[in-house]
Amino acid sequence: MPGKTTAHTRKILILDTTLRDGEQAPLCSMNPGEKLEVARKLEKLGVDVIEAGFPASSPGDLESVRGIAAIIKDCTVAGLCRALEKDIDAGWAALKKAYHPRLHVFIATSPIHMKWKLKMTRDEVLKQAVSAVLYAKKYCNDVEFSAEDAFRSDPDFVCMVFGEAIKAGALTVCFPDTVGYALPDEFGKRISYIRKNTPGIERVKLSVHCHNDLGLAVANSLSAITAGADQVECTINGIGERAGNASLEEIIMAIKVRKNVLNIETRINTTQIHSTSRLVSQVTGIKVQPNKPIVGENAFVHEAGIHQHGVIAKRETYEIMTPESVGISKNQMVVGKHSGRHAFEERLKWLGFNVDNDTLEKIFIEFKLLADKKKIVNDRDIEALARGASATVPETWNLDHWAVNTGSALGATGTIRLKYKDGKSKKLVSLGDGPIDAIYKAINQIIGKEPELELYEIGAITGGSSSQGETMVRIRWEDRYYNGHGVSTDVIESSIKAYLSAINAMEWELAAFKKVKK
Ligand code: KIV
Ligand code: ZN
């Protein structure tokens, strides 16, 4: 759904693969509720295509792509499929209810992949690519074809496969640098070559998909855009296999800040970038490095006196883009307990949350309680409240009360009362090496499971001693990982909330598995 372009401005499509290639990365898995939340946010961000998953990879992935396809209206929703009929069947089962479905079919074309992975000849690969596109076309008009490891493939062979895929009906052909091997200049030249030598390419979109093994994924994507690529495939925070994929926020801001040179436009609403990055970081438990461009904590912080002085005198001395342009608002809403509901609702909307009346009421009550504890409630606080209230994972266990006793000489004691989904409460007291250990042990005894705590991180949402504490945890149970996130003015409470949200994600999945087995 490309928007309007001016006479000299070219429109580039953004395919976001955070939920597919991003989610494939070690420890980046998300539960179906989290994926849905991320998909909604990507729609608000304005990506053109959401690659929602790899439906044939597991029944869970198929279901979660189906769930996303059912609710996303403003973007195309794509599912990845190997060039196999059974994958394409699963892809279509997941996508058939989508408003704008796309089947994304791929097969490798490089000598090393064909020989060692596929054990196929060139002719066999060509034949399978064509029959997969033809098969996908029976279901869906919008078919993308990717030549996996295209950069390490014979360029003329890629042109031939692309040409045949186009004849078979592919509307987009994608040229991935699967192992992140290319250098920007040669990648751009290769894209020009493909453009010039692929029969029928003028009728379809040419996409690129770059990995970051040499830290060049963004540079290669930009080079490809300059050489005529129509679509780039990328992920939020650059998450993805190994060193990750090209980072969406870096590509987008390069396009925006250097419009004078690139003359490119996208549909992205850049003010949604920061909150999208935080959401992905929270649901995956993968923190963004502080010096990461655009979304790192330090990306807009000026430490050196000489820089501070310059920025105060004239912002552009050391800033090439404004924090506001990526959604960091200087104009934090200074709200307190006397602030009105209307102003609060407006702020929520500005932050990208369009909630129904019941949810608004719930968040507003919590906001008033928070405003009683804190002098200033800022955007990060409001965002945390809104996320908590619109959580998509059902609460098997709900926090009722807690207390801890701790000191320097003795161990700690944790007391907790949890409410089960049937409304019944359970209370337990446990000893531990510290308050968190004690309270987590008490929770484990109540739920009757002892998941491994793989990650526990605590920080402050904003600066200052009145900031809310934010905790991220990752637990492991039967070789599956579950992330949890909790926020509170009390760090122990935020730790309990985070642990319980991971436990609830685990209980939800275990219950879903039980249903599938029956
Ligand atoms: O990196 C890659 O080649 C891919 C394709 C399957 C598009 O992710
Ligand atoms: Zn990839």
Side-chain angles (χ1 to χ4, degrees):
M1 283 144 279
K4 274 192 183 157
T5 56
T6 62
H8 306 292
T9 313
R10 215 155 49 89
K11 175 85 182 10
I12 291 293
L13 301 173
I14 302 297
L15 180 149
D16 180 279
T17 183
T18 305
L19 295 171
R20 199 278 298 170
D21 223 344
E23 212 251 351
Q24 244 166 266
L27 302 177
C28 277
S29 62
M30 304 171 216
N31 67 47
E34 290 164 340
K35 285 188 187 172
L36 207 59
E37 201 179 347
V38 171
R40 282 203 182 106
K41 188 71 179 162
L42 292 171
E43 189 178 32
K44 254 176 219 146
L45 178 66
V47 306
D48 298 280
V49 186
I50 296 174
E51 184 158 76
F54 188 170
S57 66
S58 72
D61 215 43
L62 191 151
E63 275 317 311
S64 110
V65 175
R66 205 200 300 263
I68 292 168
I71 60 146
I72 297 296
K73 293 195 176 112
D74 292 339
C75 319
T76 296
V77 178
L80 186 72
C81 317
R82 285 167 299 180
L84 299 171
E85 291 192 357
K86 63 175 179 169
D87 274 34
I88 298 167
D89 291 337
W92 188 243
L95 288 166
K96 62 180 167 210
K97 296 262 167 65
Y99 293 81
H100 311 281
R102 172 178 296 184
L103 286 168
H104 182 181
V105 176
F106 76 98
I107 191 164
T109 50
S110 65
I112 188 165
H113 276 233
M114 290 191 290
K115 178 169 179 194
W116 296 101
K117 189 181 80 174
L118 298 174
K119 302 189 189 337
M120 286 167 78
T121 63
R122 278 184 173 213
D123 284 350
E124 285 164 343
V125 165
L126 177 63
K127 216 167 131 205
Q128 191 162 322
V130 171
S131 48
V133 173
L134 287 171
Y135 190 74
K137 276 303 258 199
K138 287 190 191 154
Y139 287 130
C140 182
N141 185 42
D142 189 350
V143 172
E144 172 168 341
F145 171 76
S146 279
E148 192 190 11
D149 206 16
F151 184 73
R152 292 193 301 170
S153 308
D154 170 359
D156 293 322
F157 181 53
V158 175
C159 290
M160 189 201 294
V161 178
F162 276 179
E164 292 303 315
I166 293 168
K167 254 197 240 159
L171 298 185
T172 304
V173 285
C174 172
F175 189 95
D177 179 17
T178 303
V179 291
Y181 183 66
L183 299 175
D185 190 45
E186 55 174 352
F187 197 65
K189 284 187 180 134
R190 188 70 61 87
I191 292 304
S192 304
Y193 187 86
I194 298 291
R195 263 226 164 282
K196 252 187 229 132
N197 295 288
T198 300
I201 194 101
E202 65 292 342
R203 298 199 304 271
V204 302
K205 302 282 180 205
L206 174 57
S207 183
V208 288
H209 175 113
C210 298
H211 278 267
N212 205 29
D213 298 68
L214 294 173
L216 295 169
V218 170
N220 288 341
S221 303
L222 292 171
S223 178
I225 290 173
T226 314
D230 307 292
Q231 174 179 282
V232 276
E233 309 195 354
C234 43
T235 61
I236 302 295
N237 299 339
I239 62 169
E241 284 279 7
R242 306 179 309 278
N245 287 58
S247 133
L248 179 145
E249 58 278 4
E250 292 177 29
I251 293 174
I252 293 301
M253 291 316 287
I255 287 175
K256 189 174 166 104
V257 172
R258 300 311 312 275
K259 186 154 187 240
N260 57 334
V261 174
L262 297 170
N263 216 359
I264 297 288
E265 259 177 19
T266 70
R267 228 166 52 99
I268 298 291
N269 173 359
T270 60
T271 64
Q272 292 291 317
I273 284 180
H274 242 255
S275 49
T276 311
S277 160
R278 282 199 298 276
L279 174 63
V280 169
S281 173
Q282 284 167 8
V283 299
T284 56
I286 305 287
K287 276 205 160 173
V288 167
Q289 79 201 50
N291 61 327
K292 165 103 171 56
I294 322 295
V295 292
E297 217 171 296
N298 295 347
F300 292 92
V301 175
H302 304 279
E303 190 66 31
I306 189 166
H307 288 202
Q308 290 172 346
H309 185 76
V311 169
I312 290 165
K314 178 93 178 144
R315 194 182 49 75
E316 288 84 353
T317 48
Y318 287 101
E319 266 184 21
I320 57 167
M321 60 196 139
T322 62
E324 289 84 355
S325 66
V326 298
I328 305 170
S329 169
K330 266 202 216 119
N331 173 22
Q332 296 277 346
M333 191 189 190
V334 179
V335 283
K337 57 183 171 185
H338 301 299
S339 300
R341 190 187 149 109
H342 181 67
F344 179 75
E345 189 179 356
E346 284 306 303
R347 199 66 194 165
L348 265 186
K349 278 195 190 139
W350 189 89
L351 290 168
F353 293 97
N354 288 318
V355 293
D356 59 40
N357 276 341
D358 287 350
T359 315
L360 175 65
E361 196 52 48
K362 195 170 149 195
I363 306 171
F364 192 60
I365 291 169
E366 285 182 27
F367 156 70
K368 287 281 177 185
L369 291 173
L370 183 62
D372 268 340
K373 292 185 194 160
K374 282 186 85 196
K375 278 194 216 101
I376 294 170
V377 180
N378 62 30
D379 287 347
R380 295 288 305 275
D381 296 315
I382 297 174
E383 209 175 86
L385 290 177
R387 272 211 68 214
S390 38
T392 35
V393 172
E395 291 187 315
T396 308
W397 297 100
N398 221 305
L399 176 60
D400 197 359
H401 285 298
W402 64 271
V404 291
N405 258 314
T406 189
S408 55
L410 302 165
T413 319
T415 308
I416 192 135
R417 198 164 75 195
L418 299 181
K419 239 191 219 158
Y420 192 58
K421 59 185 173 190
D422 62 6
K424 288 190 188 132
S425 292
K426 285 192 183 178
K427 184 175 161 187
L428 243 151
V429 183
S430 182
L431 296 173
D433 291 336
I436 305 300
D437 186 47
I439 212 97
Y440 282 12
K441 278 185 176 144
I443 294 176
N444 288 350
Q445 285 176 48
I446 291 183
I447 67 165
K449 296 181 188 79
E450 264 182 66
E452 224 34 73
L453 184 63
E454 296 277 328
L455 171 109
Y456 171 84
E457 270 177 10
I458 187 148
I461 280 198
T462 51
S465 58
S466 70
S467 170
Q468 295 204 85
E470 178 179 42
T471 310
M472 289 210 224
V473 302
R474 182 179 304 122
I475 60 172
R476 181 162 55 86
W477 178 251
E478 290 176 347
D479 283 333
R480 297 275 301 158
Y481 292 90
Y482 306 92
N483 295 319
H485 175 249
V487 173
S488 169
T489 47
D490 186 297
V491 289
I492 295 181
E493 189 165 289
S494 79
S495 305
I496 296 171
K497 284 182 170 175
Y499 195 58
L500 279 182
S501 77
I503 299 272
N504 283 332
M506 171 185 81
E507 298 281 21
W508 188 34
E509 191 174 282
L510 292 178
F513 267 140
K514 247 191 220 157
K515 262 193 218 151
V516 172
K517 274 189 189 159
K518 275 182 194 165

